[in-house]
Amino acid sequence: MPYNQGMKKKGLLLISLIFVLTGCEQAITLPDMGEIEEGVGAGAEAASEALSTAMQEAREKMEEIAESDFADSAEEESSRGILTSKEDIQLTAVDSKGTYSFIYAGETFTAIYTTDNWKIKDSYKITNYSDITMICEALSDEHQIHGLDRESYRTPDDMAFEWQQHNIAYELLPEDNDWKKHAKDVDIDPKDQGKTFFEMYEERAGN
């Protein structure tokens, strides 16, 4: 089997992940590209195995870093939220087409509702988990979003988790990464319920 586009995508994703980890100043040992090229020369199966191993190691390390850093951050920030209730954000319908505005830290944000989807523009600017949960509670009161099973409904805390995953992706991905531009605006929908940022990134990268 030749070195195809799917294998190329994995290689590019691996390189991207290495840059991410380097940017976080975290040490990780992965097969270098010379080893991968040698594997390709020896046979497609060896190359595929090398890439698969590298991807798994990168994934585990990135999730370990993210979980550690953001668990500490969430715990530290939980007592420093500026919201006392969901009413503080003054969620207001701007039009009859699903556009809403709300206020946070003196800045006006836009939230757009379409069927089973809340898009919050520039969501990366809001990082306090407690406040994010209150904002999600206000949004859910206005329009609920179905869960992955399409029967249950997502809870404010569940929605906040997805928002946080987008924030993680926005912080960790390199500036020139295409998905970083999408991560700045969270889309809360059924299909991404409970997924980590890496799982969402892999899906959008076509892996």
Side-chain angles (χ1 to χ4, degrees), residues 28 39-40 47 51 68 71-72 76 90 96 103-104 111 119 136 141 144 165 171 181 187 191 193 199 205:
I28 182 170
V40 173
L51 285 169
S68 175
D72 292 344
E76 182 181 341
Q90 302 175 44
S96 59
I103 298 172
Y104 181 80
K119 175 187 281 291
C136 288
D141 285 351
Q144 288 186 296
Q165 297 310 299
E171 180 167 330
K181 302 170 187 176
D187 280 282
K191 66 181 176 62
Q193 182 180 28
E199 289 170 332

Side-chain angles (χ1 to χ4, degrees), residues 126-177:
I126 305 175
T127 59
N128 181 274
Y129 195 84
S130 175
D131 288 346
I132 289 174
T133 304
M134 285 192 188
I135 294 170
C136 288
E137 185 179 356
L139 297 176
S140 184
D141 285 351
E142 195 69 26
H143 293 287
Q144 288 186 296
I145 303 296
H146 279 100
L148 186 61
D149 60 9
R150 302 286 176 167
E151 295 180 1
S152 60
Y153 287 98
R154 301 192 60 172
T155 65
D157 189 63
D158 171 54
M159 295 164 68
F161 176 79
E162 182 177 343
W163 187 325
Q164 184 190 49
Q165 297 310 299
H166 275 72
N167 285 353
I168 292 173
Y170 186 83
E171 180 167 330
L172 293 184
L173 289 170
E175 290 296 329
D176 60 352
N177 185 281

Side-chain angles (χ1 to χ4, degrees), residues 10 18 22 44 58 62 104 116 146 151 159 166 183 197 203:
K10 286 187 177 181
I18 292 172
T22 302
M62 287 186 71
Y104 181 80
D116 262 346
H146 279 100
E151 295 180 1
M159 295 164 68
H166 275 72
F197 81 100
E203 287 182 358

Side-chain angles (χ1 to χ4, degrees), residues 46-91:
S48 179
E49 183 178 349
L51 285 169
S52 178
T53 300
M55 285 289 295
Q56 183 61 31
E57 289 184 3
R59 172 176 181 162
E60 291 174 356
K61 188 63 178 179
M62 287 186 71
E63 291 189 339
E64 178 185 331
I65 294 167
E67 287 175 6
S68 175
D69 289 351
F70 280 82
D72 292 344
S73 176
E75 182 178 353
E76 182 181 341
E77 290 184 351
S78 62
S79 62
R80 294 184 295 162
I82 63 174
L83 300 179
T84 58
S85 73
K86 60 187 177 184
E87 285 76 21
D88 289 350
I89 68 169
Q90 302 175 44
L91 182 64

Side-chain angles (χ1 to χ4, degrees), residues 5 7-9 17-18 21 35 45-46 48 85 88-89 101-102 112-113 115 135 142-143 174 177 187 191 199:
Q5 285 298 108
M7 292 172 65
K8 181 179 179 182
K9 284 183 180 180
L17 295 178
I18 292 172
L21 294 169
E35 291 176 9
E45 289 187 7
S48 179
S85 73
D88 289 350
I89 68 169
S101 68
F102 66 89
I112 303 170
Y113 176 77
T115 304
I135 294 170
E142 195 69 26
H143 293 287
N177 185 281
D187 280 282
K191 66 181 176 62
E199 289 170 332

